Amino acid sequence: MSTETSGKRRRAWLVTAGVCVLAVAAGLTVATNTNALGPGELCGGWLSSEDAGNSLDGFGRMTDSTDTFDDCTVEQSGWLPGTTDAKVRLSARAVTAEHPFGRSEWEASGTRSILSGGLPGAFDTHGNGWVSLPPGCGPLGTSGAEDDHTVLRVVVEQGDADPAGLARLAQAAARKLAADHGCAPEGGNTGRGLVEASAPAKSDPAKVCGLAGFALAPGAPADEPLTEQTSGSRDDAWFCDLSLAQPATGLPRDDRREPFARLAVVRNPELLTAAKERRFDHAVCGGKETYFATDIASYVYSPDTPGEEAAATLVNASDLTARFTAAARVALDCG
């Protein structure tokens, strides 16, 4: 064999080996940084890897781990520049019949973006939230009382997420979970997309929460110290949170406190049971069963001093409830 022929074969072998190395490297890159070769479904079929990837910031390979029947963690990871590590946990949990209007804290309010329709839910600005399965599903895969039902909770444990994307993801997973148990919403009614909460804004003292004729009682702080935040829609579920700026009371602390009042108009059929459980005021408005929900603090500020005790009387719960309900009845043309 000539030296020339041997050299050509050696070069050909080196080229072939180099191509193989590049192919293996490319394959490893694709396998470890994208989901091209990964699973198409995650969490036992609750959701697709494509939907999960679209809901998380950046890109990377999607994987999942299921701890129990009702807990699944979705992770996005990779080592290439631009890939983003992220982790989201989805958990099916039993909640009481009054959810989301619990006496200690509402899990839907003017500060959260709202999902309407047959699979309602609420999400905060970070993407954490929940989607409710139809009441007929009962407590799936979790221990709970007979009257309890199931919500699919979403918690962002790492990285950034698109709240609207996670809401779609959770709603799709809830729809699949309900279908698997024969309790999907009738007619496939899963509602519109996420309705984003408004930014906090100064209230109109004669039109609080945008309701004509809704004003606080004379003597209650209004105008500049009163702020509001709203979300949802009046034809489904609508929420308004009211807050007071501390300087309105003349007290020494000047920090802003949590909302002193959470108000809601509830017309979504999937939330009526919860509103009824809380015995909120009820009417038929425009042919739709409607509840006027209120959650008002017994005091606005912690009554540690005589001055704070006086500040606690600035807003009367029963009066505020009556004024809100009266204005909402007029706005919705209630019989």
Side-chain angles (χ1 to χ4, degrees):
M1 180 182 299
S2 69
T3 302
E4 182 180 355
T5 300
S6 177
K8 288 181 178 179
R9 289 184 176 180
R10 186 179 302 110
R11 287 194 296 274
W13 180 87
L14 289 173
V15 169
T16 300
V19 170
C20 290
V21 169
L22 290 175
V24 171
L28 287 174
T29 299
V30 169
T32 56
N33 293 279
T34 75
N35 215 59
L37 303 178
E41 292 187 338
L42 302 169
C43 300
W46 281 6
L47 47 93
S48 72
S49 57
E50 181 180 3
D51 288 341
N54 290 338
S55 301
L56 299 173
D57 192 26
F59 70 94
R61 179 175 172 79
M62 305 301 302
T63 58
D64 67 339
S65 59
T66 304
D67 300 331
T68 63
F69 164 81
D70 47 18
D71 280 81
C72 180
T73 300
V74 176
E75 292 190 62
Q76 176 180 266
S77 61
W79 50 266
L80 282 178
T83 56
T84 305
D85 290 344
K87 183 186 295 185
V88 176
R89 176 177 290 274
L90 293 91
S91 306
R93 289 287 182 267
V95 293
T96 63
E98 64 185 21
H99 179 276
F101 305 112
R103 287 174 172 79
S104 58
E105 181 180 0
W106 284 14
E107 292 198 51
S109 70
T111 63
R112 297 194 181 195
S113 298
I114 303 298
L115 274 174
S116 62
L119 296 172
F123 288 78
D124 66 18
T125 56
H126 302 291
N128 302 305
W130 56 271
V131 173
S132 179
L133 274 68
C137 290
L140 301 179
T142 54
S143 59
E146 183 178 350
D147 293 337
D148 290 352
H149 63 279
T150 299
V151 299
L152 190 64
R153 296 193 182 278
V154 179
V155 177
V156 180
E157 297 187 344
Q158 181 182 356
D160 295 323
D162 169 30
L166 279 188
R168 290 192 300 270
L169 186 74
Q171 201 170 52
R175 186 185 305 117
K176 179 65 166 59
L177 187 59
D180 288 347
H181 289 80
C183 54
E186 293 184 7
N189 176 26
T190 54
R192 300 182 294 274
L194 200 66
V195 180
E196 292 187 9
S198 70
K202 177 181 174 181
S203 293
D204 180 340
K207 196 177 181 182
V208 178
C209 295
L211 289 174
F214 178 31
L216 302 188
D223 195 21
E224 185 173 341
L226 186 65
T227 60
E228 63 187 47
Q229 193 169 6
T230 60
S231 189
S233 62
R234 292 183 190 175
D235 63 343
D236 184 273
W238 174 85
F239 301 86
C240 180
D241 285 14
L242 296 176
S243 301
L244 288 171
Q246 183 83 6
T249 68
L251 300 175
R253 293 199 300 269
D254 61 357
D255 56 308
R256 185 178 299 279
R257 298 301 180 93
E258 290 295 314
F260 69 86
R262 290 182 169 88
L263 313 172
V265 172
V266 183
R267 312 181 82 183
N268 184 320
E270 304 301 329
L271 297 176
L272 294 181
T273 298
K276 184 178 181 179
E277 182 75 13
R278 287 295 313 275
R279 301 180 183 276
F280 293 133
D281 196 17
H282 166 263
V284 176
C285 307
K288 294 184 69 171
E289 193 172 7
T290 304
Y291 280 85
F292 308 99
T294 59
D295 183 39
I296 302 170
S298 57
Y299 50 82
V300 180
Y301 308 102
S302 302
D304 297 328
T305 68
E308 290 176 331
E309 289 180 1
T313 67
L314 290 175
V315 177
N316 179 277
S318 60
D319 179 74
L320 180 56
T321 296
R323 288 170 176 271
F324 163 69
T325 302
R329 281 174 174 269
V330 172
L332 296 173
D333 191 24
C334 302

